[in-house]
Amino acid sequence: MRWRGRRMSDNVEDQTGRGGMGFPMGGGRLPIGGKGGLGCGGLVIVIVLALVFGVDPMQLLGGLSQQGGVPTQQQAPATPGEGQGCERSDLHRFSCTVLADTEDTWNRIFQQSGQDYPEPTLVFYAGQGHSGCGAAQSATGPFYCPADQKIYIDTSFFDQLEKQLGAGGDFAQAYVIAHEVGHHVQTITGLSNDLRQQQARVSKAEGNALQVKMELQADCYAGLWARTVQQQLEPGDIEEALTAANAIGDDRLQRQSQGYVVPDSFTHGTSAQRMAWFKRGYDTGDPNQCDTFSARKL
């Protein structure tokens, strides 16, 4: 993806070096792994816990590293305070550029219907941080917190999906961020709250099925965003995003971690579904085509 020299978002905070505060709220986000990151054994634990607790494996594994001319994790000297995180490294600058692109996309879409788009904030942290949803731990990787409408990224985990699951490339990283922005869109439109209320009234299996629809819609929104930046794409970018979507399908992760799949426990959709909905968003560029709740199964 061609990103250098382009606008970076101002909606950025930097918690790097500050340390964490508080404890995780709710189940699922557990501190896993040591200072050196996850090994192969750690990966299995992460995947199993993600499936057991219904957490997005994307959040536990983090984002993706890039191949050939990609942002690296070489850090610039830390600058305390908010709004400084973009200049820490190429990887941080890349993330801020992608966020800016999503702002342009969703501001335009909301304006077309006469609405304002409250932009989310991207928060960088290292090792430990704090969010409106509780403590942010390095093992959680990128995640969206609806309580404060912020996206949290520990960039040291941007290479885990590539190393452990074979999905790399800078546009795969962009897909991670755009997916989390999709959850922000669901929050500010009230869809997330409606879904939680529905889940409280149904069985666990039915609740999981609703959660799958939520995640697939975020994938579709990520694909929609990708279409709006076509002029910045390079050969292979869309394939990188599809490879990432394939790598984090519930069926593939369950098969890798336990040797069999349990469809009723799916919370994010199969590899085929995740790729199909990303592709639908990319092919149509129409948010109305991302209605996973009304559409027939893909």
Side-chain angles (χ1 to χ4, degrees):
M1 179 180 180
R2 291 182 290 272
W3 61 274
R4 294 183 185 277
R6 295 170 50 221
R7 182 179 79 86
M8 293 186 291
S9 175
D10 294 325
N11 295 312
V12 179
E13 296 178 7
D14 187 12
Q15 294 183 7
T16 305
R18 296 184 182 183
M21 296 176 59
F23 297 90
M25 298 174 62
R29 298 204 296 129
L30 304 177
I32 304 169
K35 295 180 180 179
L38 296 178
C40 293
L43 173 70
V44 174
I45 295 174
V46 168
I47 293 175
V48 172
L49 287 173
L51 298 174
V52 170
F53 290 97
V55 179
D56 190 345
M58 179 77 73
Q59 295 178 4
L60 294 182
L61 292 173
L64 319 153
S65 139
Q66 303 169 324
Q67 302 168 338
V70 231
T72 64
Q73 194 55 34
Q74 296 177 351
Q75 297 283 333
T79 304
E82 297 181 350
Q84 304 297 322
C86 293
E87 297 300 331
R88 285 187 173 275
S89 72
D90 269 0
L91 197 150
H92 290 76
R93 283 185 280 272
F94 174 78
S95 300
C96 293
T97 302
V98 171
L99 182 65
D101 284 339
T102 67
E103 291 167 355
D104 294 341
T105 297
W106 288 107
N107 270 305
R108 183 167 56 253
I109 291 173
F110 273 64
Q111 287 171 3
Q112 289 173 351
S113 58
Q115 303 177 55
D116 291 327
Y117 172 64
E119 299 170 350
T121 297
L122 177 62
V123 181
F124 292 114
Y125 71 97
Q128 293 184 353
H130 55 91
S131 77
C133 297
Q137 301 285 344
S138 59
T140 61
F143 68 94
Y144 174 76
C145 174
D148 57 17
Q149 298 186 6
K150 296 179 180 181
I151 298 167
Y152 291 81
I153 294 180
D154 181 341
T155 54
S156 66
F157 279 81
F158 263 118
D159 65 348
Q160 293 301 319
L161 198 58
E162 176 187 18
K163 291 181 177 179
Q164 304 292 356
L165 296 178
D170 63 348
F171 207 71
Q173 293 183 16
Y175 159 68
V176 172
I177 297 171
H179 176 95
E180 300 305 335
V181 171
H183 286 312
H184 174 67
V185 173
Q186 293 169 331
T187 295
I188 62 178
T189 56
L191 179 62
S192 295
N193 184 59
D194 290 344
L195 179 125
R196 300 305 170 210
Q197 293 180 3
Q198 292 180 52
Q199 288 178 315
R201 299 192 296 266
V202 299
S203 68
K204 183 176 180 179
E206 292 172 319
N208 287 344
L210 289 171
Q211 187 64 38
V212 166
K213 294 177 183 294
M214 179 76 78
E215 296 297 332
L216 293 178
Q217 184 178 68
D219 283 335
C220 187
Y221 285 161
L224 180 156
W225 164 77
R227 183 182 180 88
T228 68
V229 294
Q230 286 183 90
Q231 293 183 345
Q232 308 301 332
L233 300 187
E234 298 175 308
D237 279 345
I238 295 302
E239 288 75 14
E240 289 174 0
L242 290 173
T243 297
N246 177 64
I248 57 174
D250 283 328
D251 54 340
R252 177 170 175 176
L253 290 173
Q254 286 191 358
R255 192 171 289 110
Q256 289 178 333
S257 64
Q258 61 192 24
Y260 59 92
V261 299
V262 183
D264 283 349
S265 69
F266 289 176
T267 57
H268 294 79
T270 65
S271 293
Q273 288 175 322
R274 301 201 72 163
M275 290 188 293
W277 279 101
F278 176 90
K279 193 74 163 45
R280 172 178 282 200
Y282 181 75
D283 288 343
T284 67
D286 181 2
N288 294 319
Q289 297 299 315
C290 293
D291 183 4
T292 57
F293 295 87
S294 300
R296 295 180 178 180
K297 293 183 178 179
L298 290 182

